[in-house]
Amino acid sequence: MPVPEEDRETPGGRDISSLDFDSSGILRLEWARGVVIDAPNAQLAMDRVNELCGGRSTPLLIDMATTESVSRAARAVFAKRCDASAIALLGSSAVDRVLANFFLGVNSAPVPTRFFTNSDEAVRWLTVQGHDGA
């Protein structure tokens, strides 16, 4: 399900580039290029994830390759439990890895969470995690 047009006009709505299930049942969240993720953006994203999952534990792939930064308050939001069964953080650069490692090192992730630079590896890991968690 793509993000509804009317939601794109809400505060932070344009910061989510896409949020939809792929053909293998993995929920994919892609942030807009250059976004600074603050607490309201993070909460909006997590609320949408929970809406789409409908209480079902679901693997989540977050593409953060074009994210500029993630605030401390946003990291606290992401550390809360949601409907994700496992989270793969997908990036493309050393900066992305630093952001992900900082997040993973400072916050206790509520579900298995790993950083990847390869989408196929991330999907394979999520598939295994999803079966372990189901």
Side-chain angles (χ1 to χ4, degrees):
M1 236 184 234
V3 176
E5 268 313 304
E6 63 271 12
D7 286 350
R8 292 182 185 272
E9 299 307 315
T10 60
R14 282 172 258 173
D15 296 328
I16 296 173
S17 177
S18 65
L19 179 60
D20 201 358
F21 287 96
D22 68 14
S23 61
S24 62
I26 292 172
L27 185 56
R28 291 177 176 249
L29 166 64
E30 184 175 341
W31 291 99
R33 178 172 292 283
V35 69
V36 174
I37 303 171
D38 59 13
N41 289 349
Q43 189 62 58
L44 178 65
M46 297 321 303
D47 290 346
R48 288 186 177 161
V49 164
N50 288 335
E51 281 176 32
L52 288 173
C53 292
R56 292 181 314 273
S57 193
T58 305
L60 173 64
L61 188 147
I62 300 174
D63 187 336
M64 56 179 281
T66 62
T67 300
E68 185 173 314
S69 66
V70 181
S71 75
R72 173 185 280 187
R75 290 190 301 269
V77 170
F78 290 137
K80 296 177 189 172
R81 184 85 175 138
C82 69
D83 285 342
S85 58
I87 300 171
L89 302 170
L90 181 63
S92 61
S93 70
V95 172
D96 295 337
R97 183 176 296 279
V98 168
L99 281 173
N101 285 337
F102 181 73
F103 170 76
L104 294 171
V106 171
N107 299 291
S108 297
V111 296
T113 305
R114 265 184 72 185
F115 176 80
F116 297 87
T117 56
N118 179 291
S119 180
D120 291 339
E121 288 177 17
V123 167
R124 276 193 296 276
W125 180 80
L126 282 171
T127 301
V128 169
Q129 294 302 313
H131 289 286
D132 289 346

